[in-house]
Amino acid sequence: MAETIAANKDKRIVARPIKQGKLSSIYRSRWFYFMMIPGLLYYAVFHYAPMVGTLIAFQNYNLMKGIWGSPWVGFDNFRVIFDNPEFLKIMRNTLLISIYKIVGNMVPDVILAIMLNEVRVRWFKKLVQTITYGPYFLSWVIVYGLVFSFLAPGSGLISTFVRDMGWGQIDLLTNKDFFRPLLVLTEIWKNTGFGAIIYLAALASINQELYEAAVVDGAGRWRQLWHITLPGIRDVFVLLLIIRIGGILDAGFDQIFIFLNARVYDVGDIVDTWVYRYGFERLEFGVAAAMGIFKSLVGLILVIGANKLAKKIGGSGIW
């Protein structure tokens, strides 16, 4: 009986037509393609369909006439951007703040992840993770409220302490020299715990036998860190660096818009705040859209360049 059933199974297997080529490969993976549909719809509806709105970058856009009724002006909106006397200033501010944030954020993420990976007391590790993750879920409005409560001139905790000690008045929120460091420090405080999660996942994927072999060979903790841990997270670091370089003209609108004030405009006015003023205050939507296209093109070029450089130097990249 068992031999008969096995023979019938063999016949069914032989009788099924064997599909070859790309169509057969797609058919075999049809359920995986089916699961891609929600993601593709999301990008089609929320990312690609709104790209039709970039047409207003080439128009003198009028809200009453809409996209199809507004007059076309060619590249005049781009000329407005490049001829603007503030263009060089906002580009310099944007690049400097972005570079400060890239350096100031990525290194603490790696250090925190390595330190947490070395902690063997489980409850202490969870406590540190909870404390460091918490600020990520706060909005920049709340973060600024906390900073203001500490640094407000005349009423902040630190300002009052400094004044009571006889060290004079401090006004860090409106000081040009402290504005950019203040942005970087608050960014580190808010995002380092969350950024370390990715590196912790990369550290968990390192083969533990490498560490055991290193111990047998007499390698100490620093040797293991240098020859096993850091190479193990190198690809993740390069990947995140390329992504951040691609968004170098996105210096963080939410944070800077809240922290910005008239006294620090020279060092804090960036592309996004400039676009906000043109788009919503002056109703120059065409100029704002043209700046958005310019940012996207610069980001695309930087991502491609950074990816090629990463592959040439380290042998790995995004694609």
Side-chain angles (χ1 to χ4, degrees):
M1 185 63 182
E3 294 176 352
T4 304
I5 293 173
N8 291 334
K9 287 183 178 179
D10 292 341
K11 288 179 180 178
R12 286 200 297 271
I13 292 173
V14 172
R16 180 178 296 175
I18 300 175
K19 299 181 179 179
Q20 296 180 347
K22 294 182 179 179
L23 291 177
S24 63
S25 175
I26 293 173
Y27 180 78
R28 283 195 301 271
S29 306
R30 59 190 181 280
W31 296 115
F32 293 105
Y33 288 108
F34 181 76
M35 288 187 287
M36 288 173 59
I37 292 176
L40 293 176
L41 287 176
Y42 167 78
Y43 278 98
V45 173
F46 295 104
H47 290 268
Y48 284 95
M51 290 177 67
V52 178
T54 57
L55 290 175
I56 68 175
F58 306 96
Q59 292 180 322
N60 183 14
Y61 182 70
N62 187 308
L63 279 174
M64 302 304 293
K65 295 180 180 178
I67 293 179
W68 309 116
S70 299
W72 297 90
V73 295
F75 291 92
D76 285 354
N77 290 326
F78 292 91
R79 294 192 186 94
V80 171
I81 294 173
F82 299 128
D83 293 340
N84 193 298
E86 295 182 341
F87 178 72
L88 292 178
K89 183 187 73 175
I90 62 173
M91 288 298 296
R92 184 182 67 249
N93 291 339
T94 305
L95 291 174
L96 285 177
I97 293 173
S98 292
I99 292 171
Y100 291 160
K101 286 187 174 181
I102 289 174
V103 176
N105 275 346
M106 296 196 69
V107 175
D109 291 353
V110 174
I111 293 174
L112 179 62
I114 292 174
M115 292 175 67
L116 288 174
N117 192 55
E118 294 296 323
V119 174
R120 294 293 178 262
V121 181
R122 184 177 293 273
W123 68 267
F124 181 72
K125 183 177 181 179
K126 288 185 177 180
L127 177 64
V128 174
Q129 285 179 310
T130 303
I131 293 173
T132 53
Y133 294 169
Y136 176 79
F137 300 100
L138 300 177
S139 69
W140 280 113
V141 177
I142 297 175
V143 173
Y144 182 75
L146 294 172
V147 173
F148 188 82
S149 65
F150 282 96
L151 300 178
S155 60
L157 294 175
I158 296 178
S159 303
T160 305
F161 175 78
V162 172
R163 183 194 60 198
D164 294 343
M165 294 297 292
W167 297 334
Q169 291 282 354
I170 60 169
D171 191 3
L172 301 183
L173 294 176
T174 58
N175 191 314
K176 293 180 182 178
D177 296 331
F178 289 94
F179 182 73
R180 289 169 182 163
L182 191 62
L183 294 178
V184 176
L185 288 175
T186 51
E187 177 103 357
I188 291 173
W189 176 75
K190 189 174 186 296
N191 295 329
T192 296
F194 188 82
I197 294 176
I198 300 174
Y199 293 108
L200 282 172
L203 289 170
S205 65
I206 297 175
N207 190 348
Q208 295 301 312
E209 293 180 355
L210 295 175
Y211 290 103
E212 296 172 1
V215 172
V216 172
D217 291 340
R221 302 302 298 177
W222 288 108
R223 287 285 184 184
Q224 295 175 35
L225 173 67
W226 185 256
H227 292 289
I228 300 175
T229 304
L230 293 181
I233 62 175
R234 182 186 59 191
D235 291 343
V236 177
F237 185 86
V238 171
L239 172 65
L240 295 178
L241 180 62
I242 293 173
I243 293 174
R244 285 177 177 267
I245 289 176
I248 198 168
L249 292 185
D250 293 319
F253 172 76
D254 296 346
Q255 180 194 19
I256 295 176
F257 183 72
I258 293 172
F259 278 74
L260 197 63
N261 55 70
R263 293 187 179 181
V264 295
Y265 253 96
D266 289 341
V267 297
D269 192 21
I270 61 171
V271 172
D272 289 336
T273 53
W274 185 86
V275 168
Y276 175 82
R277 289 199 303 276
Y278 260 79
F280 290 97
E281 295 180 1
R282 300 186 184 185
L283 299 181
E284 296 281 353
F285 296 109
V287 177
M291 181 60 91
I293 292 176
F294 172 71
K295 284 178 54 182
S296 301
L297 288 176
V298 172
L300 177 63
I301 293 171
L302 289 176
V303 165
I304 294 174
N307 188 63
K308 286 187 176 180
L309 184 64
K311 292 174 73 173
K312 189 174 182 179
I313 295 176
S316 62
I318 295 179
W319 66 87

